[in-house]
Amino acid sequence: MGRIFSLIFLLLLLTACTPSAPPEEEPPPPEPELQEPETPPAPVQEPYEIKDPTEEREGYVLWRGRVEHLFFHPVIAYPELAFDGDSQANGLDDFMVTVDEYNKILQSVYEKGYVLVDINSVWSEYSDNGVPRMKANDLYLPEGKKPLILSYDDTNYYPYMLENGFAHKLIIGEDLKIASWGLDPEGNEVVSRDLDAIPILDKFVEEHPDFSPFGAKGCLSLTGYEGILGYRTQTDTKEWDDAKEANRQKEREAVAPIVEELRRTGWTFGSHTWGHIRLGDGNMTRIQADTQRWLDEVGSLVGETTILFYPHGERPDGNDWTMTGPAFQYLQGQGFRIFCSVGIESFSAIKGDICAVICDRLHPDGTTLRHSRERYLQFYDARDIIDLTVRPQREISWAEA
């Protein structure tokens, strides 16, 4: 009996000392599925409507006064580079405005009731018993508003500009809108809609759509000897090879969508001659060769135009007011109908002996800001515009008044 008890005790002891099987581990919770980051929607090209200001509309009235015309050169983005005391500084002071001054001028003409119209809508060609003539169109504007043409000379971004504080070229930004590309004073790449006259006006119209009730912006006056819009689309007759031609074709392909977007959004184009030549000396061989080159290298990119802006403001044959010389006749025969010079008022006249209009433009720049304050008061007060903190210390006529 004792032996049986001992065996039972031993079995109980062994059972107590044998470790029990570990509990089954619960499986780890499933890891959450990784969510793919949401792709932002691709930018969509905004629609843009261009209207005809010669059509009658409710609330619009017939304009019976002068159509004003202001023109600019490219605007200075970085005054510290433009006005650094080098050989270019005084010339830039004479003929350019800064971004800040340009913004103030736009704001002022807007507040004074001007609205933008396309130069191509102001005059048109018609047939007078089979004889082609030009006429001034009836313009219907919102009541209380005044028409204004804007044009922009030398929007080619010449090499000298690139070292003196200007944008380098126009591009289409990530938002599918026209922007400028360039380098800041430290050499950093900058894409912006705030440093060049063209995208600045685009933005201003976006923010003030009543400034452009017909969708008009401005007319870009282009030469061709350094390409257009910052793209080197020109040829060089002195030295050329297949590699240079291949690069030229690449630049032409790159600028094509820029031109298309500008045209779609209210910008138009005019000739400033290919080589920025003087038209008053009567050198017909040079004028003809230059015109053909503009048509081949620039017109082939921007399309047909009836607008010619005189380089240096110099009139063909020396006088297009009282005579129609061989240079003027040739240029008119190449399709130009509206011929723009520079003057002290927005003058225009329809020529009676040939199908053409001649006109003068006013020029907001350093020269007129310093010396023509009274003449421009209908648009802005130079006292409020000129930035003397960045410009060279030079004479100002009205400062003593």
Side-chain angles (χ1 to χ4, degrees):
M1 184 72 181
R3 187 175 178 182
I4 292 172
F5 178 80
S6 296
L7 287 171
I8 293 171
F9 177 77
L10 181 59
L11 288 171
L12 290 173
L13 183 62
L14 289 172
T15 301
C17 294
T18 301
S20 59
E24 292 186 8
E25 294 185 8
E26 295 197 11
E31 294 187 8
E33 295 183 12
L34 292 177
Q35 299 290 326
E36 291 289 334
E38 289 188 12
T39 304
V44 177
Q45 190 179 62
E46 297 178 1
Y48 196 87
E49 184 178 8
I50 297 177
K51 302 175 184 176
D52 184 355
T54 67
E55 293 181 2
E56 296 187 51
R57 293 179 175 83
E58 186 177 352
Y60 285 50
V61 296
L62 178 63
W63 172 255
R64 299 188 182 277
R66 172 184 292 174
V67 179
E68 298 290 352
H69 189 165
L70 301 178
F71 94 91
F72 298 87
H73 289 100
V75 298
I76 296 168
Y78 301 106
E80 63 269 39
L81 297 180
F83 305 130
D84 57 0
D86 66 7
S87 60
Q88 299 276 2
N90 284 350
L92 298 177
D93 180 54
D94 286 337
F95 301 120
M96 314 294 187
V97 297
T98 67
V99 161
D100 180 64
E101 292 166 342
Y102 177 66
N103 279 319
K104 290 178 181 177
I105 290 171
L106 290 182
Q107 184 65 38
S108 180
V109 295
Y110 170 70
E111 291 175 357
K112 289 181 179 293
Y114 288 97
V115 293
L116 299 181
V117 295
D118 176 11
I119 188 172
N120 295 279
S121 67
V122 178
W123 300 276
S124 62
E125 184 173 341
Y126 74 104
S127 176
D128 181 11
N129 294 320
V131 178
R133 298 295 186 199
M134 294 295 288
K135 66 176 182 178
N137 294 326
D138 289 338
L139 300 178
Y140 294 90
L141 308 181
E143 190 165 5
K145 299 298 184 180
K146 301 170 287 187
L148 175 65
I149 299 167
L150 293 181
S151 57
Y152 299 79
D153 283 9
D154 300 311
T155 47
N156 302 76
Y157 306 90
Y158 303 133
Y160 84 85
M161 294 179 178
L162 311 188
E163 302 172 355
N164 283 283
F166 295 82
H168 289 207
K169 64 168 65 174
L170 296 180
I171 66 169
I172 296 178
E174 293 182 355
D175 58 0
L176 302 184
K177 296 178 180 180
I178 296 292
S180 68
W181 179 92
L183 302 177
D184 68 13
E186 288 73 44
N188 302 307
E189 293 188 18
V190 178
V191 173
S192 175
R193 298 184 73 212
D194 301 309
L195 296 175
D196 181 86
I198 295 168
I200 287 174
L201 182 59
D202 282 342
K203 281 187 64 177
F204 193 89
V205 170
E206 289 170 14
E207 296 164 1
H208 308 87
D210 55 328
F211 186 45
S212 182
F214 311 107
K217 300 288 181 54
C219 189
L220 304 182
S221 169
L222 298 173
T223 62
Y225 67 94
E226 290 292 352
I228 66 170
L229 307 178
Y231 296 81
R232 301 311 173 209
T233 56
Q234 77 278 13
T235 57
D236 184 344
T237 55
K238 296 179 181 179
E239 181 183 355
W240 205 246
D241 55 34
D242 290 345
K244 290 182 178 180
E245 178 60 23
N247 184 70
R248 185 176 88 93
Q249 294 300 330
K250 183 178 178 181
E251 292 285 281
R252 285 175 63 88
E253 292 174 5
V255 79
I258 313 297
V259 170
E260 181 181 355
E261 180 62 10
L262 287 168
R263 295 191 76 98
R264 188 186 74 85
T265 53
W267 295 92
T268 57
F269 296 92
S271 171
H272 203 35
T273 76
W274 186 88
H276 206 267
I277 65 172
R278 293 187 178 275
L279 297 170
D281 62 6
N283 186 332
M284 290 302 300
T285 300
R286 181 168 55 86
I287 291 172
Q288 291 172 356
D290 179 275
T291 302
Q292 189 58 53
R293 201 166 181 184
W294 191 92
L295 294 171
D296 290 343
E297 295 188 13
V298 183
S300 62
L301 288 167
V302 302
E304 294 182 0
T305 179
T306 61
I307 317 298
L308 177 63
F309 298 93
Y310 299 155
H312 315 283
E314 186 174 291
R315 301 174 184 278
D317 312 297
N319 180 359
D320 62 359
W321 289 29
T322 61
M323 64 178 289
T324 303
F328 194 99
Q329 293 179 49
Y330 168 77
L331 293 165
Q332 193 271 356
Q334 299 305 301
F336 298 113
R337 296 292 182 269
I338 301 171
F339 297 79
C340 301
S341 186
V342 181
I344 60 173
E345 62 178 356
S346 300
F347 158 86
S348 68
I350 297 173
K351 289 180 71 70
D353 60 339
I354 194 170
C355 183
V357 176
I358 57 173
C359 53
D360 280 356
R361 309 173 285 166
L362 289 162
H363 51 112
D365 55 25
T367 299
T368 56
L369 285 174
R370 291 179 182 277
H371 303 297
S372 301
R373 174 173 172 263
E374 292 292 328
R375 190 184 304 154
Y376 286 77
L377 285 175
Q378 61 182 309
F379 306 108
Y380 54 81
D381 189 336
R383 292 182 189 273
D384 302 326
I385 303 298
I386 192 167
D387 187 352
L388 297 176
T389 66
V390 299
R391 286 185 174 271
Q393 299 302 303
R394 302 172 73 194
E395 179 188 3
I396 301 175
S397 300
W398 48 261
E400 301 172 0

